[in-house]
Structures are given as structure tokens and as C-alpha cells.
Amino acid sequence: MSHVELAGVVKRFGTFEAIRGIDLAMPDGAFTVFVGPSGCGKSTLLRLICGLEVPSEGTIHFDGRDMRGVPPAGRKLAMVFQSYALYPHMSVADNMGFALRMAGVPKAARATQVAKAAETLQITPLLARRPRELSGGQRQRVAIGRAIVRAPSLFLFDEPLSNLDAELRVEMRFELAELHRRLNTSMIYVTHDQVEAMTLADRIVVLHDGQIEQVGSPAELYERPVNRFVANFIGSPRMNFLTGRVTALPPDAVEIAIPGIDPAHLTLPLLERGSLAVGDGIEIGIRPDELLIGEGGAARLPVRVEFSEYIGGAMYLHAPSHEAGRLTIRCPGTQAPQGTLMLGIPRERCHVFTTEGQRLS
Ligand code: ATP
């Protein structure tokens, strides 16, 4: 049985539909990440799951039980927000034990649970401090600690790392993954940062305009994005897109003319062609690390490198190709090639999309 199951969930604010029909099952113990651009509905979906919002339509079940009418406190979940929401006048230990105190847990039992959670998060030496005496990362750990002591069956995280600096984010990401491994409790995590999503998730749910674009493992989303939106959103730096036109449809393949490439036509394998016809527009997606520099590939494309970024051990080259649009290329080494560069397009690494953005193949 799925731990959390959403069926036909719609959420309207007045006439605006923020969530537009979501069906989603999250397995027990999974680390699910909701990712998508600002305003796509990630936080609203999380708030619907935790009971802070009520669906306009559809149902939410936890372990087969309908959550309609069940308040957040009755859902056995703990939520960690971006703004840690710690009580400034209380010690770390009191902050962590607050929910237990409210629930009437006796002092000794409270202390034991707080000590255990503090040990898990390695914040035992901080228990007597006030929040203002802590760093951002330590505060975040206390906020997570406060969630852990309640032994919830589901953790919800709403962009919990976005107030931390880059280094701490990476460290906390590692700690969250480790925490999930140790507790084996279902976690749902919201972020707009696709790198965070890729590194933490068992399953990623890509949202856009209140709808699901794709659900899959990080590798599935990266290797086989179902549409241009997901292809463009997942992966850093972003995928390159070349625009062309279908010139022939031989069996199980498509022949495409892309301005500026040599030879003038590129033939790619294509088993599912849908209603594609000769003369239709088409888009080829290729990731910056899949473009070949120099020899090789099914076709070549000359570009002029406009500027380069050194990223340690490799460089990103940025090149406006006069006809195909701007391209980003990952180039190993420390020396950026000068002048015109010949790029090779490897047939097997190309993603093919219709002009409406649907994946073909
Ligand atoms: P961000 O990454 O910027 O936090 P998000 O993906 O979490 O964005 P939501 O906060 O879920 O997006 O909002 C989705 C849409 O619903 C937005 O257009 C937002 O303006 C709208 N919205 C959210 N809450 C309300 C509300 N209480 N009343 C009216 N509109 C709302």
C-alpha cells in the first residue's frame, strides 16, 4: 500500500487553480522530492498533504485512510520550514521537546527523546543554548531535531536549506540523506533547486503550472525526460536545443535538416513517431557534456566560443552558433579552445522533441 496517495487533487484560490488535477502515489519509506519553478504549486501541494489547506476536489489518503477532515495534528507528520520557526526565548532542548510537552509527555521521557534526537543530529553540546547563539546550519538541525522527537511517520520539508550558504547546504543535504537512510521514514521535500532534487530523491516529481510533468528516479528524468520542459529543467547547465525540420521518415528513423550542420541532414533512430510528417518542425536536445569537440559524431556544427567558465578540471564554453542558437559545451582541461570550434553531434545522445515539446522515440 502507498503511504500517501493523492487522487484527482485540485486546489483553487478564488478562481485561480493552483493545483490542477494531481494523481500521485508515494511509497512507504520513499524520499520524494517536489521540484519545479517558482509558483508551480510545490508548497501548496505540501500544505494540502499536511492538512494546512483543504483540496477543492479530489482525495488524499494516508495508508488507505481518507484524510478529509483530519487536522494537521492528527496526521502523524512533522513539517520543517525554510524559516526554522524556533522559539527564541527557549533553549535548544526546550525547543526540541516543546511538542512533546504540549502532548503531555512526562519530563523524564521528554529528556530521553530529546537526548536521542540530539545525538542523531550531533547537536548534544548545543542543548542548553538559545537559538540566537547558533549558526544557520545549527538552527536548521534543531528544527529537524524538533521534528524527529515526535517520531512522525512522515516528514515534510519546505525548502529547508534555502537560508543556508552553499557549503552548508551541501553538508545538510548529505545529513538529510543519511537521516533518511537511518530512520527509513517517508519524506517529502520541496525545492526549486534541481541539484538538490537530484542528489536527495528516490523519486522526483516535476511540477509545472499546478500539474505533474514527470515522475521518476533522478536517472530516469535525466536520461529520458518525457518532454522539453523536463529536459530543460533537469540538468545543470541546461540542455542545448537545436531547431530543425523533418526532411524524410525512413523506417524507424527520422531525417532532420538543421541549419549550419555538416552534412546537411542528420538521421536519428525513432521508433515512435506519432503523427510526425515530412516538413514538420522538430527540436533536438543534447546535454553540454555530450557534445563532442573536434572529430566524431554523426554531424558537425561549427561554433565560435564567446566566453568560457573554468569550473575546476573542466570548462564550460558558451558559443552562439550563427543559426542554431546559443550552445553550452563541457570541455575537459584548463585551456579554452580559441576561435572556431567544430562540434560533433553523437546520434545516440540526442533527445528528439516535437515543436509542442513532447518527446519522440
Ligand atoms: P515558490 O517556489 O515560489 O515557493 P511554489 O511552487 O511553492 O512557489 P505555491 O506557493 O504553491 O508555489 O503557489 C502556487 C500558486 O498559487 C502561485 O501562483 C501562488 O501565487 C498561488 N497561491 C498560493 N497560495 C495562495 C493563496 N493563499 N491565495 C491565493 N493564491 C495563492
Side-chain angles (χ1 to χ4, degrees), residues 13 16 18 37-44 159 192:
F13 295 109
F16 175 70
S38 183
C40 69
K42 308 178 290 289
S43 300
T44 304
E159 306 232 14
H192 63 269

Side-chain angles (χ1 to χ4, degrees), residues 34 52 54 152 162 215 245 257 306 308 325:
F34 295 164
L52 289 171
V54 178
S162 48
V215 180
R245 198 155 286 284
E306 198 170 65
S308 55

